[in-house]
Amino acid sequence: MNYRHAYHAGNFADVLKHTVLALVIEHLKQKPAPFRVIDTHAGTGEYDLHGVEASKTGEWREGIARVIATAKSAEVAALLAPYLTAIGAADGTGVPQHYPGSPLLARRLLRPEDRLIVNELHPEDAAALAALFARDKQAKVSTLDGWTALKAFLPPKERRGVVLIDPPFEQPGELDRLVQALEDAVRRFATGIVLLWYPIKATAPIAAFERRLADLSVEKMLRVELMIRSGSDPSLLNGTGLIVLNPPYTLVDKLKILMPYFAATLSVDGKPSWRLDWLTA
C-alpha cells in the first residue's frame, strides 16, 4: 500500500480520522488537568486543496466537501462542530483552500495549558512542519523515526492525552508495526487514548491485522471502519479504519450517530458499509 497524504488530504479517510481525533480532544478538555497530543507520523501539517497533488485526485470533493454541504441535521452538526471548527469550515463559507493535517487540527483545539508533540522523519516535510509551528511554545517538532518517537515520548509527563499513530503506508510491514506500536503504547501509557489509523484496500491483510490485535487481549479496544464501496479491488482505497484504545465513554454513542451519516454521505457506489465494535471486551 502507498498513501502519500498530499494526494488524499480532505478525503473520506481524513473526515473519519479527524472527526474522531477532534471528539477525543474535546473529551479530554472536560477536565481541567492538562494533557498532551502526540502525533508520530505528522506529515507537513497543512495541505493546499488546490495544489498540484490534491488537484490530481480531487478526493476532497468526495470527502470534506460533501460533509460541509450535507451536515444539516442539528444532531450531526453538533457532533461535527469541533472538527469543522478546527478545519476552518464552521462559518458556512464552504471548503477552505488549506486543509489542516492532524497536527494543525489538534493544535487549534488545545487550551493554553495543553501540549503537542509532532514527529516527522521526512526532511522536507519536517521542515514544513517546523515552519508551521515556529515560535509556538505549546508545540514541539521532532524528526525521529515514527516508531522510535512512540517509545521516546511515552508516557507524557501529564499522564493524560491521546497518541495518533498514522503512518503513510509507503513501506512494507506497516500493519505489523501498528500491532507492535499498540503493544508499546499499552506498556508505556496504559491509561492513554491511542488512535491507530489504517487504509483498507485488500481485505485479507486487514482481517489478519485485526486478528493479531485481538490476540493481544488488550481491554477497551474499539474498531471503527468505514467502507465507501462494496468491492475489494486492492488497487483502490475502499475504506478506512481506526483502532481506538481506551476510547472516551461517550465516543461509541456519538459514532453510532455519525457512522450511518458518513456511510450515506461518502459512498461512491451506493453500497457503503460501516462497523463499530469491540475487538476485545
Side-chain angles (χ1 to χ4, degrees):
M1 287 184 282
N2 187 289
Y3 198 83
R4 285 295 293 170
H5 197 68
Y7 293 92
H8 309 286
N11 72 352
F12 76 98
D14 266 1
V15 168
L16 178 60
K17 173 176 59 180
H18 291 159
T19 296
V20 172
L21 178 61
L23 289 173
V24 167
I25 291 174
E26 289 302 292
H27 177 83
L28 288 167
K29 288 160 63 176
Q30 292 179 11
K31 292 184 178 180
F35 61 85
R36 186 166 300 213
V37 178
I38 300 172
D39 191 338
T40 61
H41 299 76
T44 63
E46 189 173 36
Y47 304 92
D48 184 352
L49 295 183
H50 299 286
V52 174
E53 295 91 347
S55 295
K56 282 186 177 180
T57 63
E59 289 186 15
W60 62 271
R61 299 181 187 278
E62 295 181 343
I64 184 56
R66 288 188 181 182
V67 169
I68 291 172
T70 62
K72 304 302 182 183
S73 80
E75 193 172 38
V76 167
L79 294 177
L80 289 176
Y83 166 54
L84 294 180
T85 298
I87 67 171
D91 57 4
T93 59
V95 182
Q97 178 170 338
H98 292 92
Y99 183 90
S102 50
L104 186 56
L105 180 143
R107 178 64 186 91
R108 289 174 175 175
L109 293 172
L110 296 187
R111 306 167 300 182
E113 63 268 32
D114 305 320
R115 294 294 180 267
L116 172 68
I117 295 179
V118 292
N119 182 82
E120 177 55 48
L121 179 63
H122 190 284
E124 292 181 6
D125 290 356
L129 200 62
L132 186 65
F133 292 110
R135 296 180 295 278
D136 187 337
K137 295 182 179 180
Q138 285 184 246
K140 175 181 178 180
V141 177
S142 169
T143 58
L144 299 172
D145 170 78
W147 310 107
T148 302
L150 184 68
K151 299 175 182 179
F153 296 124
L154 291 182
K157 68 178 183 179
E158 296 87 352
R159 301 288 175 167
R160 296 184 69 228
V162 56
V163 182
L164 174 62
I165 306 171
D166 176 16
F169 285 86
E170 294 180 313
Q171 302 294 329
E174 298 283 45
L175 290 173
D176 293 334
R177 293 187 183 96
L178 279 180
V179 176
Q180 183 60 55
L182 183 69
E183 287 189 285
D184 290 340
V186 169
R187 183 169 59 251
R188 297 169 185 272
F189 190 29
T191 60
I193 302 170
V194 180
L195 306 181
L196 303 181
W197 177 85
Y198 52 96
I200 303 176
K201 292 186 174 182
T203 55
I206 299 302
F209 160 67
E210 292 173 342
R211 285 194 297 270
R212 288 191 61 194
L213 287 174
D215 288 343
L216 296 177
S217 298
V218 175
E219 295 182 354
K220 299 180 182 178
M221 191 157 41
L222 182 69
R223 171 171 52 189
V224 187
E225 286 185 355
L226 173 65
M227 304 296 293
I228 61 169
R229 56 173 60 87
S230 58
S232 57
D233 183 343
S235 68
L236 299 175
L237 185 64
N238 299 299
T240 184
L242 283 170
I243 300 298
V244 187
L245 178 67
N246 297 322
Y249 69 92
T250 58
L251 185 63
V252 171
D253 287 341
K254 291 176 179 179
L255 290 178
K256 285 179 179 178
I257 297 168
L258 287 173
M259 293 306 290
Y261 162 75
F262 284 151
T265 301
L266 302 173
S267 171
V268 298
D269 66 357
K271 298 179 181 179
S273 62
W274 58 277
R275 179 156 57 176
L276 179 65
D277 59 5
W278 298 94
L279 282 182
T280 53

